[in-house]
Amino acid sequence: MAVENIPRPPAASLSKGTDVSRMSASDLIEWITSRSSVSSAVYVYDVAEQVGFGVLAKAWGSSLETSAPVIPVQTRAGAGLSLVGRLSEGTSHDAVDGSVLTAYTSPQGLATMAQSLPFLPPASSASKLVIQVPAVTPVGEAFAFSPTLACLSTTLSLLPENIAVLLSATPQESVDFAALSYGLDTHAIHIFDHYGSAREIGHELVPPAAARRSMLSSSDALSYAGYAPFEFAGDKHSHTVLIFPNGPLALYAKQIVSGTVGLAVVVVKVLRPWNDDALRDVISSTVEEIYVFDDVPSDIAQGPLFVNVFASLYDPLRSERVIRSQRITPHQTQLFVARPSQFASHIFTSVKSSSTHSHIEAPSSSTKLLFFSTPTDNLPSFHQLVRNTFSGATSVRHIACHDAFSHSGGLTVDQVVFTPKGDAQEFTPLSGVFPLDGSGKADFTCVLEPNLLKSHCVLDDANVGSAILVLTSWSPDELWANLPSDAVTLALQRKLRFYIIDPNLVLSHIPDTASREFTGSLVAYLVFLRLYLGRTSSEGLVRKIAQGMVPLTFGSDTFAKLSSRTWLELVQVQLPTDLPVVESKANSPAPLKQFRFNAIAVDAGKGEAVYVGSRVSSWHEAAKHLLFPSAFAPALPTLAGFKEEFPPNPSLRPDLPERTYLVTCAVNRRLTPLEYDRNVFHLEFNTEGTGLKYAIGEALGVHGWNDARDVLEFCTWYGVNPDRLITIAVPGSEGRMHTRTIFQALQQQIDLFGKPPKSFYADLAPYATSRVDRLALQFIGSPEGSSTFKVLSEKDTLTFADVLQRYASARPSIEELCELIGDIKPRHYSIASSQSVVGDRVDLLVVTVEWTSPSGKQRYGQCTRYLAGLKVGQKVTVSIKPSVMKLPPDNTQPIIMAGLGTGAAPFRAFLQHRAWLSHQGIPVGPTYYYFGSRHQSQEYLYGEEVEAYIQDGTITKAGLAFSRDGPRKVYIQHKMLEDAETLAGMLKNQNGVFYLCGPTWPVPDVYEALVGALVKNQGHTRESADEFLEQLKEEERYVLEVY
């Protein structure tokens, strides 16, 4: 990744004058803690990356000199021992100057490493451990995110006294606590709200001057930064106090009890070391009831916060003071954060209060915007333009959440709230002031993917009378036809105002002189301004405002045309006058889906969002790999003294000279939509008990069968009994014979529906009883008939059976016919799995081959048709064939993979194996993956797995080219050109290996892309670049498998 493409945080000094309004607190924490002046090394645990924390630090660590070294780490039992070992080494004379370690992990990861932390040596200013913990945890069957700390309820008691635990909640507090953690006289754990507030963009954060390597107590360090271990909020003369660990619910509680007489909240910001005196100082003598709200795994567990509070405040001489535990389970935390009104009801019910203040309200002057999109339809410039428009006089807050499960390809919800700066109130997370709970708070809703209206509860959060903008090519009638009846009813009840516009239609009238993505964002922005300004808007006013905000990349005349065309194309959709007819339960459509926050996207450079937290294949598969990793990574048998446990069975296929195996179809799943014109499908075969072993990159030979119905129809036409036995020679067996029925022979062995060679016509001619047929066959089989044969073979695509039917007088006996035609040859498919990962299984990626001949006859590829029709449990004969697609001998060598369509198959095996190596702690080199197909939504083969590999770092960089999705066709060579400097460097200087798999047509363009990269970046001439690539071919570092 080039340095200039890395997201730019503030300057290394982090001075107070630095503008960080475009950074979230989480991003700023990564920046502060990954500086080499702060940390000797940063250990990024996989569980932190899975919730979107650590991705930027890794990018900076490999590109910026001011960044500390970044070390990726897997979370497993004893996960903290490497940190303990590193700090223990730091006590020696030669390591004393640099052992301040930073670790990123999740609450679950912290619970895993807690047993190792008591072995930490004493902290010093030059030797200490600081763990930054983003508080977000997957909960429940849907793996929806929650800020719960319940998994730490038993962990905190294991921590030694020399570890401080700090809790932060607001964005500024999170940044401050992250920095002051390095100034403590102990090791430190800082837990911050990565679920919501720390990910918000738009806050005027004040970066600390520097993270201090001093030795202050936690109380002194907090006081120095303007904080205290405990914060009191509410009635100073309260008789009831609620105690919360710092986090989103604590901020909710402060808002809920504000103005309520007799009720107050105490927020705990330092869990360790626990300060009894500081807590007693903030609890007044008037307090009679104390409720401690604790994150616990179940409602029968006892939380550590209650134990500490009880020990500090219990007084046997004050019988009137009662201390009660209020347990909050992970499910409740998830519910309360998403629905603040239910949390308020829970509080008032717990304390038996009659208060009706059950809502957290934003200032009445605030405006709330809601955007629904998918990764392919997201318009990031649109959100930025909206924020910039109002950022001068208003406070603009923005957060994006993602749902990786409920919609194919993922779903993104952006929430934007802007409030006049004079009306700002005490900070409350956006999830509190703008909850997506169906209460109808959004003043403007924009739907960038119209199909979401049919599948999700998009309208539930729209305010009464608010505008709904849909970017779509649908007509007004089509919009209403696609809206489910429940959505239409809601729209009528809330008097929603629908507007539609087709950005592509607008852009078709404008010269293509700018980025289509940015111009599409600009169209949506112009519409938003028009709707926001309401009756005061005019085309001229909207254009004037937009021109002041947009960094023009085209002339003012073009901008004027774009503005006027947008104004003309916007259509307001009239509401129907009647409510829709309620369908019976039997005919009613599936209920609309709710949005679930279960993934986080991080912009890791070049504007490309890396989605993390999402699944691999399905959550069932992910769970199995997490719970039983050894079952999915069995050790391969050693060859020394190896005795074959599963010798070949000659009776399996006596007609085949090579070693074959009988495997069982376990999965046959179509990957492309049913309505798509290409059937690409995924196969899994169970090889247990067969002895089948394969190396990465090898091919599976499938000995397919002809279609049974076609065989029977041929037997009827040819006049033979399919059940009659015949004895025919085994090819290449020197006289060996075998006996089977005609049906078995024609279905399983003889290539009856294959393509005949030229010699077949000449060999068939003597059997023709018609002079015309005999002469025609002789002519086609002669040198003079080459052009005729070419037409029959390549244009008409005749099969052996077709030739027999065309020249029907040529009727050799069935035994002679079998000898003339020959055997079905195995079709070889690149294996799409690594046996080190999947065990007794072999996977294939196949696309059906079918076409229509000029005569109108439907044709099929013999083997792909056979494979597409396989049923689960069906047996298949296979063999193994070596391939040129081999991983390099050194795991640290960079690999560059370019696959088109089903050419992705061997690279899936490569990626599985490299991920497995990383899981074993074995270093692997950079892995670049380029994939091309026509449409992302229909043909992004193994897309979820690829995204997961991007997230966990298995794929260093992915270049995805979907040629039909944009206004211009983009192919893999274009994506390679974007990385030309890196690719050329890996091939020239790092012993890298390049692979291309797929159809032959892109080979010249890909070759030219590599030649151009070498010429531009490595000082080659055209001739020397050609010679260099030829040398790579000899060294098996330029590998092609094309067809």
Side-chain angles (χ1 to χ4, degrees):
M1 187 180 297
V3 173
E4 59 268 21
N5 292 320
I6 297 292
R8 284 294 180 184
S13 63
L14 292 177
S15 63
K16 291 188 177 181
T18 306
D19 177 19
V20 293
S21 62
R22 295 187 180 182
M23 293 188 72
S24 68
S26 289
D27 294 347
L28 195 50
I29 290 171
E30 284 195 58
W31 175 257
I32 293 170
T33 60
S34 63
R35 300 305 85 215
S36 58
S37 59
V38 174
S39 302
S40 306
V42 179
Y43 289 73
V44 179
Y45 284 83
D46 52 355
V47 288
E49 281 194 273
Q50 289 164 14
V51 294
F53 192 73
V55 176
L56 294 177
K58 290 178 70 174
W60 294 328
S62 61
S63 305
L64 302 180
E65 293 183 358
T66 57
S67 292
V70 176
I71 304 169
V73 190
Q74 296 289 321
T75 300
R76 60 187 71 182
L81 290 176
S82 59
L83 304 174
V84 173
R86 174 72 182 270
L87 287 177
S88 298
E89 293 173 1
T91 59
S92 65
H93 178 74
D94 58 353
V96 74
D97 291 330
S99 298
V100 176
L101 305 184
T102 296
Y104 300 161
T105 190
S106 69
Q108 292 171 313
L110 180 60
T112 302
M113 68 167 62
Q115 293 183 350
S116 305
L117 300 182
F119 299 100
L120 284 169
S124 69
S125 60
S127 178
K128 68 174 64 174
L129 170 64
V130 178
I131 305 176
Q132 304 289 346
V133 182
V136 58
T137 302
V139 171
E141 293 184 355
F143 291 123
F145 283 158
S146 168
T148 181
L149 300 179
C151 61
L152 300 178
S153 62
T154 58
T155 299
L156 296 176
S157 62
L158 300 176
L159 298 179
E161 293 296 327
N162 65 341
I163 297 181
V165 180
L166 310 181
L167 304 178
S168 61
T170 72
Q172 185 63 60
E173 191 176 58
S174 299
V175 172
D176 292 340
F177 281 27
L180 69 83
S181 299
Y182 296 87
L184 303 182
D185 56 4
T186 64
H187 306 292
I189 297 171
H190 171 223
I191 303 173
F192 59 95
D193 177 22
H194 190 64
Y195 175 88
S197 63
R199 291 192 306 108
E200 290 184 20
I201 298 173
H203 296 285
E204 297 180 354
L205 301 175
V206 180
R212 297 164 54 89
R213 285 195 184 185
S214 52
M215 292 291 285
L216 300 176
S217 67
S218 58
S219 296
D220 289 343
L222 260 67
S223 178
Y224 178 84
Y227 298 95
F230 303 96
E231 178 187 356
F232 184 93
D235 186 354
K236 294 182 179 179
H237 305 290
S238 60
H239 54 77
T240 301
V241 167
L242 317 177
I243 299 182
F244 287 87
N246 203 12
L249 291 185
L251 298 178
Y252 284 10
K254 288 168 61 178
Q255 287 290 317
I256 291 169
V257 306
S258 61
T260 303
V261 177
L263 201 58
V265 168
V266 170
V267 180
V268 179
K269 299 185 178 183
V270 180
L271 278 177
R272 298 178 70 91
W274 186 259
N275 192 327
D276 295 312
D277 294 334
L279 179 60
R280 295 189 190 104
D281 288 343
V282 299
I283 302 292
S284 69
S285 59
T286 61
V287 174
E288 297 177 356
E289 289 186 305
I290 299 172
Y291 294 84
V292 182
F293 289 77
D294 232 339
D295 283 344
V296 293
S298 68
D299 54 12
I300 61 172
Q302 186 63 67
L305 183 59
F306 174 78
V307 173
N308 287 335
V309 171
F310 189 86
S312 298
L313 300 181
Y314 175 70
D315 185 352
L317 301 179
R318 289 193 59 180
S319 59
E320 71 278 6
R321 174 175 284 183
V322 179
I323 304 174
R324 294 187 172 93
S325 174
Q326 291 293 319
R327 302 173 178 88
I328 301 181
T329 64
H331 172 73
Q332 287 178 306
T333 302
Q334 190 178 53
L335 175 67
F336 292 157
V337 170
R339 299 178 179 271
S341 60
Q342 293 196 25
F343 179 55
S345 299
H346 178 76
I347 286 178
F348 292 130
T349 300
S350 300
V351 301
K352 300 178 176 60
S353 171
S354 58
S355 176
T356 58
H357 182 203
S358 61
H359 295 282
I360 300 173
E361 298 292 346
S364 59
S365 56
S366 66
T367 301
K368 304 179 184 70
L369 315 179
L370 194 57
F371 304 89
F372 290 89
S373 63
T374 63
T376 55
D377 298 294
N378 195 14
L379 299 177
S381 300
F382 178 25
H383 307 136
Q384 186 62 50
L385 288 170
V386 172
R387 292 200 303 267
N388 291 348
T389 302
F390 298 97
S391 60
T394 64
S395 171
V396 182
R397 301 167 61 184
H398 172 210
I399 194 169
C401 299
H402 308 275
D403 184 343
F405 298 155
S406 68
H407 183 269
S408 178
L411 164 63
T412 299
V413 174
D414 290 87
Q415 296 166 267
V416 178
V417 175
F418 47 88
T419 307
K421 289 188 175 179
D423 296 341
Q425 62 183 19
E426 187 174 1
F427 177 84
T428 303
L430 271 179
S431 55
V433 298
F434 189 9
L436 302 183
D437 57 0
S439 57
K441 293 183 180 296
D443 301 301
F444 172 82
T445 303
C446 181
V447 184
L448 281 71
E449 167 51 68
N451 287 313
L452 295 176
L453 290 165
K454 299 190 292 185
S455 59
H456 287 73
C457 299
V458 170
L459 305 180
D460 280 16
D461 292 287
N463 204 348
V464 175
S466 64
I468 311 295
L469 173 62
V470 184
L471 275 59
T472 180
S473 59
W474 292 345
S475 67
D477 290 339
E478 289 173 329
L479 175 68
W480 289 117
N482 280 291
L483 277 180
S485 58
D486 289 347
V488 175
T489 300
L490 182 64
L492 292 172
Q493 291 173 344
R494 296 189 182 176
K495 299 179 182 180
L496 303 180
R497 297 177 290 120
F498 280 82
Y499 298 85
I500 58 174
I501 192 169
D502 183 359
N504 292 326
L505 182 60
V506 175
L507 298 181
S508 67
H509 296 277
I510 309 299
D512 187 17
T513 57
S515 164
R516 301 285 288 187
E517 179 183 285
F518 176 76
T519 312
S521 295
L522 183 54
V523 169
Y525 174 61
L526 290 169
V527 174
F528 164 75
L529 286 179
R530 177 179 175 181
L531 298 179
Y532 178 76
L533 294 173
R535 295 180 180 179
T536 63
S537 67
S538 65
E539 194 270 330
L541 177 61
V542 168
R543 186 197 314 170
K544 182 177 180 180
I545 295 174
Q547 282 183 310
M549 301 305 303
V550 175
L552 289 180
T553 55
F554 39 78
S556 57
D557 291 341
T558 302
F559 188 89
K561 291 179 183 179
L562 180 70
S563 177
S564 60
R565 176 56 61 178
T566 301
W567 191 273
L568 291 173
E569 295 294 343
L570 181 65
V571 177
Q572 182 170 6
V573 181
Q574 297 300 318
L575 292 170
T577 56
D578 300 321
L579 289 172
V581 177
V582 179
E583 300 183 30
S584 65
K585 290 186 178 180
N587 298 323
S588 61
L592 294 176
K593 301 175 185 176
Q594 298 286 340
F595 174 81
R596 305 287 186 187
F597 172 31
N598 50 42
I600 296 173
V602 179
D603 185 356
K606 297 186 178 181
E608 296 177 355
V610 179
Y611 290 84
V612 287
S614 57
R615 61 180 176 175
V616 179
S617 179
S618 71
W619 70 265
H620 303 85
E621 286 295 314
K624 287 189 287 186
H625 280 262
L626 289 171
L627 294 173
F628 311 109
S630 60
F632 293 90
L636 293 176
T638 58
L639 297 179
F642 177 73
K643 179 180 180 181
E644 190 165 9
E645 184 179 359
F646 305 98
N649 181 2
S651 64
L652 178 60
R653 282 294 296 266
D655 51 1
L656 299 176
E658 67 262 47
R659 168 70 188 272
T660 57
Y661 309 85
L662 193 64
V663 299
T664 306
C665 178
V667 172
N668 186 347
R669 180 175 68 249
R670 179 167 178 150
L671 301 182
T672 52
L674 289 174
E675 66 272 14
Y676 193 53
D677 61 358
R678 302 184 75 209
N679 175 18
V680 183
F681 54 100
H682 168 80
L683 289 165
E684 294 179 8
F685 297 106
N686 183 358
T687 64
E688 186 176 2
T690 66
L692 186 149
K693 302 295 179 186
Y694 58 92
I696 294 172
E698 290 189 325
L700 190 74
V702 177
H703 302 265
W705 292 0
N706 289 318
D707 183 77
R709 181 182 299 178
D710 290 348
V711 170
L712 292 174
E713 288 177 357
F714 177 84
C715 289
T716 300
W717 175 82
Y718 208 70
V720 294
N721 178 3
D723 295 325
R724 180 169 71 85
L725 295 176
I726 58 170
T727 300
I728 53 179
V730 176
S733 62
E734 298 182 356
R736 202 156 48 89
M737 308 293 286
H738 61 110
T739 301
R740 53 186 51 200
T741 67
I742 292 175
F743 176 79
Q744 287 175 326
L746 296 183
Q747 183 197 34
Q748 302 173 22
Q749 181 178 341
I750 305 304
D751 197 14
L752 182 62
F753 303 105
K755 183 186 292 187
K758 197 166 184 286
S759 59
F760 176 74
Y761 292 85
D763 294 337
L764 186 62
Y767 297 96
T769 57
S770 164
R771 183 172 181 272
V772 174
D773 288 346
R774 184 169 62 255
L775 292 175
L777 289 168
Q778 288 173 344
F779 172 76
I780 297 169
S782 68
E784 295 78 9
S786 295
S787 59
T788 302
F789 168 75
K790 186 174 182 180
V791 170
L792 295 175
S793 178
E794 299 179 8
K795 183 179 179 182
D796 295 336
T797 60
L798 296 187
T799 66
F800 288 101
D802 292 328
V803 173
L804 291 167
Q805 291 172 347
R806 175 172 288 204
Y807 306 103
S809 69
R811 292 275 181 121
S813 68
I814 194 68
E815 290 85 355
E816 291 171 317
L817 180 64
C818 290
E819 186 175 354
L820 285 174
I821 294 176
D823 277 2
I824 298 172
K825 293 179 175 57
R827 269 60 166 185
H828 292 94
Y829 300 89
S830 295
I831 294 175
S833 57
S834 167
Q835 199 162 31
S836 62
V837 175
V838 301
D840 290 331
R841 200 181 87 197
V842 59
D843 298 355
L844 296 183
L845 177 64
V846 184
V847 58
T848 55
V849 179
E850 50 186 284
W851 69 99
T852 303
S853 69
S855 63
K857 188 170 183 179
Q858 189 69 19
R859 303 287 195 190
Y860 301 93
Q862 180 264 343
C863 198
T864 61
R865 186 185 189 186
Y866 165 70
L867 291 173
L870 286 178
K871 302 293 189 295
V872 173
Q874 190 169 339
K875 302 293 184 180
V876 180
T877 301
V878 299
S879 54
I880 296 296
K881 179 184 178 182
S883 169
V884 295
M885 303 294 284
K886 302 174 183 177
L887 278 171
D890 184 354
N891 294 323
T892 62
Q893 286 180 254
I895 61 173
I896 307 161
M897 303 170 288
L900 276 77
T902 54
F907 303 138
R908 182 175 184 253
F910 284 16
L911 292 170
Q912 284 183 352
H913 186 69
R914 283 215 155 180
W916 177 75
L917 290 174
S918 296
H919 184 71
Q920 305 304 308
I922 300 173
V924 296
T927 303
Y928 275 54
Y929 177 67
Y930 297 92
F931 173 77
S933 66
R934 291 187 293 181
H935 301 286
Q936 181 175 15
S937 60
Q938 297 163 319
E939 207 173 347
Y940 186 10
L941 305 179
Y942 301 122
E944 292 174 346
E945 295 183 15
V946 171
E947 296 296 334
Y949 286 136
I950 295 172
Q951 295 157 18
D952 67 16
T954 299
I955 295 177
T956 308
K957 174 68 185 297
L960 307 175
F962 303 102
S963 58
R964 308 292 174 85
D965 281 349
R968 291 187 296 270
K969 292 185 177 180
V970 178
Y971 298 108
I972 56 173
Q973 60 266 27
H974 300 132
K975 293 295 183 180
M976 291 171 59
L977 287 172
E978 295 176 5
D979 303 320
E981 181 179 359
T982 303
L983 301 186
M986 288 193 294
L987 291 176
K988 180 71 175 179
N989 306 318
Q990 301 178 42
N991 207 26
V993 185
F994 176 82
Y995 305 87
L996 173 65
C997 185
T1000 56
W1001 64 262
V1003 171
D1005 293 327
V1006 169
Y1007 183 88
E1008 288 300 319
L1010 292 177
V1011 169
L1014 291 166
V1015 171
K1016 181 178 179 180
N1017 300 288
Q1018 292 295 326
H1020 276 280
T1021 64
R1022 168 71 198 215
E1023 293 72 23
S1024 66
D1026 286 334
E1027 293 174 0
F1028 177 74
L1029 290 179
E1030 286 299 318
Q1031 178 185 345
L1032 293 189
K1033 291 179 184 178
E1034 295 295 325
E1035 298 173 2
E1036 296 184 343
R1037 293 202 293 123
Y1038 180 85
V1039 183
L1040 304 183
E1041 185 170 275
V1042 294
Y1043 37 82

